[in-house]
Amino acid sequence: MKKIFISVLSGAIFYLNVHAQKSAITLQNTIPVTANDTKASIIAKAVHVVPTANQLAALKNEFIAFIHFGPNTFTRMEWGNGKEDPKIFDLKELHTDQWCQSMKSAGMKMVILTAKHHDGFVLWQSRYTSHGIMSTGFQHGKGDIVKALSASCKKYGLKLGIYLSPADLFQIESPSGLYGNLSEVNKRTIPRMVAGRPFANKTKFEFEVDDYNEYFLNQLFELLTEYGPIDEVWFDGAHPKTKGGQKYNYAAWKKLIHTLAPKAVIFGKEDIRWCGNEAGRTRNTEWNIIPYPENPNTATDFPDLTEESLGTRNELYKGKYLHYQQAETNTSIREGWFYRDDERQKVRSTDDVFDIYERAVGGNSTFLLNIPPNREGKFSPEDVKVLTEVGKRIQETYGKNLFAAAKGPKQILDKNLNTYLLLTKPENSIEIATGSPVTINRIVIQEAIATHSERVEEHILEAWLENKWQKIAAATNIGYKRILRFPEVTASRFRLKVLSSRATPAIATIEGHYYRSKPPQLQFDRDLNGLVTISPKKHEFGWNPHGQDATGNLSTGTQIYYTTNGTAPSSASKKYTAPILVLNAELKAIAIANHDKGSVAKETFGLLQKNWKLLTAGSESNKGTMAFDANKETYWQAEFNDDAHPMAIDLGAVHKLTAFIYTPPKAFFDGMIEKGIIQISKDGKNWEDIESFEFGNLINDPTARTHYFKNEISTRYVKLKPIAIAGNKKSTAIAELDFLEK
């Protein structure tokens, strides 16, 4: 009995101590962890780490734009070398109103411009360099892109951010360059006065810095004082080349920014962090309270945080400081950061961008999408189309809250982040009743992070269906915003249940929405056994793939129907549920979602390739089977000349051929067979010409081409002999060969 009493007393004392410690903790952006902290006290501190007012404002931006523009736009390079003649930036027109109008139509709230990229070329009329727009023919050297964009932002109600690259290849490569010139560190006045170019802002700074840091601070001063309010300053950690052990005086940069742009957040430093990739990939659980080994408020080094998990309990226990630092999920609408061309530089699909939007904004981060202007100073038409379509989808989906007239706690239905409901045990749940049934497939949940930090660790959404609660969605944390996506459900009662949390959950908003699924385009993939998989078409975007399936994420509730007898598919046709065997037939399929029909996909499939054997295939004969491996992503390629051996195949048995299909490789444009001859053999050794073929416009349209024979050909051995390559190239390549039989 005595032992039980002591145990109960000890537990009570521990509870009171922890409770007292919790009540003594004040809300802060950064809280130190001491050697005496227990795991419980560390978590108690974590739930008192909150965003600053600037960070919260940045989170509310949600969807923002990046613009990469400069010499690389004209050289078609991703990174310049700093040695470019400024006149290579041969800009004739500038349409910043068009930029802003397009970004506004997408629902974006801010744009960040690369005022100076790694090449050191500046897009404004800087007093401190001639390596920039002042040395080009644009507006007779008087042009200022930062100024033009600032004016357009004011016109369209967008915030403005600035990317100023710490790396500067011009200052490295130039004989008089300041980067790494081993100059002395001494007291400098910022800004340095330049005759005839006074500043309206009379603020002065005294810093102990070297030549390059002075140069950088002077340019920061220009950008932060002469172009209106700046809401974000963007630093990256790229170092294409270094020199002289150059160090950056971030403490000085930070003081200048906080003084001149008090509402600005700083990316790459203590305010906002990189998501860890440039592909638009998001973490399933994105905590913004993360551990630091040193005080982030005084640190100068902020390494990229690329791990899959950053802020779990176990990670918090290892930190010396707990700090609020939100993520930006950044990627480009085009393959690459800079514009190259409108023909081969692929653009992300509307599905892809909208999917990233929902995962990023709905995953406790900000979505930063790059749109590079073209050489006419405009966003290209395809980019504008995608932005417009994405904005329309966002408005159609999230512009109407289906819980607006629902019954439930007022604090969570008023769309006000400043009001909230504390969930108490044992239920830890919120019920919402809509009166009449509503159909939803999206739920938006927000925590009261400004006053209660991030607390929820696991939650589920339930609907009252068939007289019982049924789970329809589940996720881990919530934070600023969590978007739950699930197959559509119709009900009049919904319940949010928090299964695990770090402290009493404080839920600020819950909204119900409906995304009208669009019937996707379809694609066919046949394997060597003749089995065809029908699936939503994956958009071809080769640059930094993010590994997420946009079509799969967005196409829930879609049904696929198909035919193989030449008739048009409909909802009365066979329903696709698993791969189907297709031999010597035309497959047609259609996707239907919400009674909307997609476009009909069709493709003719010929002989089974499984039993084919390679006879000869030129200099790369060991790779020749890639021409008939049922994989359009692989290809056979060999040198093309008068002596080159053609592709010869043993079909395994005699077939009555009516046509052949040639699929050029999509990843190799220099080997497309424009003209050729088909030969056949009775023994695989002695060959005779049957007929010639010709395919046009392959370079601009590298799709599968079919050549129908004038007469039926009965053979086991067939040879394709190229005689002309598109563009007069010196290679020949085949992604897939297929033969059709009567």
Side-chain angles (χ1 to χ4, degrees):
M1 185 72 183
K2 186 175 181 182
K3 289 183 179 179
I4 295 175
F5 175 75
I6 292 173
S7 176
V8 171
L9 180 62
S10 299
I13 292 172
F14 174 78
Y15 172 80
L16 291 172
N17 285 340
V18 171
H19 182 73
Q21 186 178 25
K22 285 183 180 179
S23 62
I25 302 173
T26 58
L27 298 176
Q28 298 173 64
N29 186 243
T30 306
I31 298 179
V33 175
T34 67
N36 295 326
D37 274 321
T38 63
K39 290 182 177 180
S41 64
I42 289 172
I43 298 304
K45 288 183 174 182
V47 298
H48 288 80
V49 176
V50 295
T52 64
N54 288 357
Q55 288 176 318
L56 186 59
L59 280 167
K60 291 179 179 179
N61 290 335
E62 297 193 349
F63 187 19
I64 62 178
F66 220 169
I67 290 181
H68 280 66
F69 198 36
N72 297 344
T73 308
F74 293 86
T75 64
R76 297 171 173 82
M77 302 289 289
E78 275 299 291
W79 280 14
N81 56 28
K83 300 177 182 179
E84 296 88 354
D85 183 339
K87 288 183 172 53
I88 198 74
F89 187 77
D90 190 23
L91 187 66
K92 305 297 184 185
E93 301 176 11
L94 182 65
H95 300 272
T96 53
D97 272 7
Q98 186 242 17
W99 302 359
C100 290
Q101 185 179 38
S102 301
M103 293 182 289
K104 190 77 173 180
S105 72
M108 295 170 160
K109 295 182 181 178
M110 183 172 74
V111 54
I112 300 169
L113 174 69
T114 54
K116 183 190 77 168
H117 202 245
H118 311 321
D119 52 36
F121 182 95
V122 303
L123 295 180
W124 78 99
Q125 292 289 330
S126 177
R127 297 162 176 79
Y128 305 103
T129 185
S130 60
H131 189 68
I133 200 165
M134 68 287 293
S135 297
T136 73
F138 179 60
Q139 296 182 356
H140 306 290
K142 303 297 182 184
D144 191 320
I145 294 174
V146 180
K147 183 177 181 180
L149 180 56
S150 176
S152 294
C153 284
K154 291 174 185 175
K155 181 176 179 179
Y156 287 91
L158 296 173
K159 298 177 181 179
L160 179 62
I162 293 296
Y163 170 117
L164 190 67
S165 172
D168 192 316
L169 286 165
F170 174 75
Q171 293 295 337
I172 289 177
E173 301 291 355
S174 175
S176 58
L178 304 175
Y179 188 108
N181 67 352
L182 305 179
S183 56
E184 291 185 11
V185 173
N186 50 42
K187 185 177 290 187
R188 319 278 179 112
T189 300
I190 305 297
R192 178 167 55 80
M193 292 296 101
V194 175
R197 299 281 304 275
F199 286 97
N201 188 309
K202 303 303 179 183
T203 307
K204 301 286 185 184
F205 297 87
E206 297 288 337
F207 293 120
E208 296 276 345
V209 291
D210 61 12
D211 287 352
Y212 182 72
N213 278 283
E214 180 193 0
Y215 172 74
F216 196 86
L217 288 161
N218 281 326
Q219 292 194 324
L220 263 180
F221 190 96
E222 290 178 316
L223 291 168
L224 298 180
T225 60
E226 299 192 318
Y227 297 97
I230 301 298
D231 283 272
E232 184 163 342
V233 179
W234 214 92
F235 298 136
D236 67 6
H239 293 280
K241 188 175 182 179
T242 57
K243 176 184 175 184
Q246 179 67 56
K247 301 294 184 184
Y248 301 145
N249 191 329
Y250 172 63
W253 303 359
K254 174 180 173 180
K255 181 178 179 180
L256 186 140
I257 294 167
H258 286 179
T259 304
L260 299 176
K263 292 186 177 181
V265 287
I266 304 175
F267 175 91
K269 301 301 178 183
E270 74 269 29
D271 290 325
I272 300 179
R273 60 187 163 82
W274 184 43
C275 69
N277 67 91
E278 296 179 345
R281 191 183 69 81
T282 52
R283 296 178 176 89
N284 291 328
T285 303
E286 188 74 74
W287 289 104
N288 287 336
I289 290 94
I290 58 176
Y292 262 87
E294 59 179 318
N295 190 345
N297 296 311
T298 57
T300 57
D301 181 37
F302 289 83
D304 292 334
L305 304 176
T306 60
E307 294 83 1
E308 186 60 32
S309 179
L310 296 178
T312 65
R313 288 180 179 240
N314 286 335
E315 283 144 1
L316 296 181
Y317 299 151
K318 302 171 187 176
K320 299 298 182 184
Y321 289 84
L322 306 179
H323 177 61
Y324 192 95
Q325 188 182 35
Q326 65 226 48
E328 269 184 7
T329 300
N330 65 327
T331 193
S332 183
I333 199 170
R334 285 182 167 260
E335 290 183 327
W337 292 109
F338 287 89
Y339 175 87
R340 291 195 298 275
D341 59 65
D342 278 332
E343 287 74 43
R344 296 189 179 183
Q345 189 183 22
K346 293 184 175 67
V347 177
R348 287 192 188 276
S349 66
T350 300
D351 278 352
D352 201 23
V353 175
F354 183 71
D355 175 52
I356 299 172
Y357 169 86
E358 289 194 309
R359 286 189 287 102
V361 176
N364 203 27
S365 74
T366 302
F367 182 20
L368 173 60
L369 179 67
N370 179 66
I371 313 109
N374 60 27
R375 288 181 285 279
E376 285 72 48
K378 298 179 179 179
F379 288 167
S380 290
E382 190 173 358
D383 305 45
V384 172
K385 180 183 177 184
V386 171
L387 292 172
T388 303
E389 290 174 347
V390 168
K392 184 179 179 181
R393 286 198 193 183
I394 293 172
Q395 183 58 34
E396 287 176 349
T397 305
Y398 296 102
K400 182 179 181 180
N401 176 16
L402 298 175
F403 288 170
K407 293 181 180 180
K410 180 181 178 182
Q411 305 98 307
I412 58 101
L413 293 174
D414 60 6
K415 294 188 68 173
N416 185 347
L417 277 179
N418 296 320
T419 62
Y420 54 88
L421 181 68
L422 293 172
L423 302 191
T424 55
K425 293 181 178 180
E427 293 84 5
N428 260 15
S429 64
I430 300 171
E431 185 174 337
I432 295 170
T434 58
S436 58
V438 295
T439 300
I440 63 172
N441 54 17
R442 299 290 192 275
I443 286 282
V444 175
I445 313 169
Q446 295 183 275
E447 288 185 87
I449 59 172
T451 54
H452 289 74
S453 186
E454 300 177 341
R455 298 187 171 193
V456 176
E457 293 176 303
E458 185 180 4
H459 64 286
I460 62 171
L461 179 72
E462 299 174 310
W464 186 257
L465 302 167
E466 300 174 344
N467 294 316
K468 61 181 178 180
W469 289 112
Q470 296 186 35
K471 184 174 74 172
I472 58 175
T476 53
N477 69 328
I478 296 173
Y480 167 73
K481 181 174 284 190
R482 169 69 77 169
I483 295 177
L484 297 175
R485 306 188 290 189
F486 45 90
E488 64 181 49
V489 61
T490 301
S492 57
R493 293 173 64 191
F494 300 89
R495 184 167 71 177
L496 172 70
K497 288 189 70 174
V498 175
L499 304 182
S500 175
S501 62
R502 294 176 173 181
T504 303
I507 305 301
T509 68
I510 300 178
E511 298 177 17
H513 298 278
Y514 180 73
Y515 169 71
R516 186 173 182 81
S517 297
K518 312 294 189 293
Q521 288 183 287
L522 299 175
Q523 70 179 29
F524 304 134
D525 295 287
R526 189 173 78 156
D527 65 17
L528 283 171
N529 294 310
L531 292 174
V532 177
T533 300
I534 309 175
S535 61
K537 186 175 182 179
K538 290 182 172 60
H539 183 62
E540 294 176 12
F541 190 85
W543 182 75
N544 285 335
H546 52 65
Q548 297 280 346
D549 181 8
T551 52
N553 290 339
L554 301 179
S555 299
T556 53
T558 298
Q559 304 295 335
I560 297 173
Y561 300 89
Y562 71 93
T563 63
T564 56
N565 60 4
T567 61
S570 68
S571 57
S573 304
K574 292 180 180 179
K575 184 178 178 181
Y576 175 79
T577 57
I580 53 177
L581 181 66
V582 182
L583 299 175
N584 285 305
E586 183 180 45
L587 175 64
K588 295 181 180 180
I590 190 171
I592 299 178
N594 301 312
H595 306 294
D596 291 338
K597 294 181 179 179
S599 57
V600 175
K602 58 184 179 179
E603 186 173 343
T604 301
F605 293 96
L607 302 178
L608 190 65
Q609 297 167 308
K610 182 179 180 180
N611 298 320
W612 294 7
K613 294 180 181 179
L614 180 69
L615 298 179
T616 60
S619 59
E620 294 290 336
S621 58
N622 61 320
K623 297 181 180 179
T625 54
M626 289 185 178
F628 50 89
D629 62 355
N631 184 352
K632 296 174 184 177
E633 302 303 317
T634 63
Y635 61 92
W636 162 78
Q637 180 256 326
E639 182 181 356
F640 173 74
N641 54 48
D642 293 338
D643 298 324
H645 295 288
M647 170 72 67
I649 301 171
D650 175 359
L651 300 177
V654 175
H655 293 277
K656 295 179 179 180
L657 305 181
T658 58
F660 83 93
I661 303 171
Y662 164 63
T663 302
K666 297 175 182 178
F668 183 72
F669 290 90
D670 294 342
M672 299 182 183
I673 303 173
E674 192 171 62
K675 297 180 182 180
I677 297 173
I678 294 294
Q679 299 175 320
I680 63 171
S681 172
K682 295 180 180 179
D683 56 9
K685 298 177 182 179
N686 300 297
W687 300 88
E688 62 175 311
D689 293 352
I690 294 300
E691 63 184 73
S692 61
F693 64 87
E694 181 175 352
F695 302 127
N697 198 32
L698 282 165
I699 293 177
N700 294 323
D701 184 21
T703 54
R705 305 303 179 89
T706 303
H707 174 82
Y708 290 92
F709 300 133
K710 296 174 184 177
N711 300 297
E712 179 186 295
I713 299 172
S714 179
T715 187
R716 171 175 176 167
Y717 304 100
V718 63
K719 181 185 289 186
L720 186 150
K721 183 178 180 180
I723 59 175
I725 305 300
N728 296 316
K729 300 298 183 179
K730 298 301 181 184
S731 287
T732 181
I734 301 173
E736 282 297 303
L737 275 181
D738 206 352
F739 289 90
L740 307 184
E741 187 173 27
K742 185 176 180 180

